Amino acid sequence: MKSKPKPSRKVYTTKPVVEGERVVWVCHDEDGDWQFFGETYVCEDDGRIIHLGHLLDQDESLRQVLHMPIGFAATRNDETSGWDIAPYEEDDDDEED
């Protein structure tokens, strides 16, 4: 059985999410890292590393996706929508950065 990440786990997110924007995309990437993004397009300077517990304090519904295995991502339209979980495939544009 795979264990869920602990609240003390450091995760990647963005400045808008840290400031309260709702998470609509979560990825458990191929490196085993967790990424949490909102709807706002951000640049690299907006990236933040925080403890998962801070995000869970903001939005308990994030617990619903913490069972995802490596290589999967979850999306939702807004904070009231359910999560859609599927294998994550990196875009060619992402690989060029």
Side-chain angles (χ1 to χ4, degrees):
M1 179 177 183
K2 296 183 191 265
S3 62
K4 294 179 183 178
K6 296 181 181 189
S8 60
R9 166 97 185 221
K10 291 185 179 176
V11 299
Y12 295 97
T13 192
T14 66
K15 182 179 177 185
V17 169
V18 169
E19 293 174 346
E21 181 174 271
R22 292 292 183 165
V23 173
V24 295
W25 187 82
V26 179
C27 180
H28 192 187
D29 70 25
E30 293 296 332
D31 294 327
D33 294 323
W34 287 88
Q35 302 175 37
F36 296 82
F37 290 87
E39 293 180 321
T40 303
Y41 177 81
V42 294
C43 65
E44 191 172 325
D45 291 342
D46 290 320
R48 301 290 187 268
I49 298 174
I50 66 171
H51 289 116
L52 174 59
H54 295 297
L55 292 177
L56 296 175
D57 288 345
Q58 284 178 238
D59 184 354
E60 281 286 321
S61 73
L62 294 174
R63 292 185 187 280
Q64 298 170 10
V65 299
L66 297 181
H67 68 282
M68 286 192 310
I70 289 174
F72 278 71
T75 59
R76 63 181 173 179
N77 293 327
D78 55 46
E79 66 271 8
T80 63
S81 299
W83 291 98
D84 294 317
I85 299 173
Y88 172 69
E89 293 185 24
E90 212 171 295
D91 292 338
D92 289 337
D93 292 341
D94 293 340
E95 294 173 3
E96 294 174 8
D97 291 341

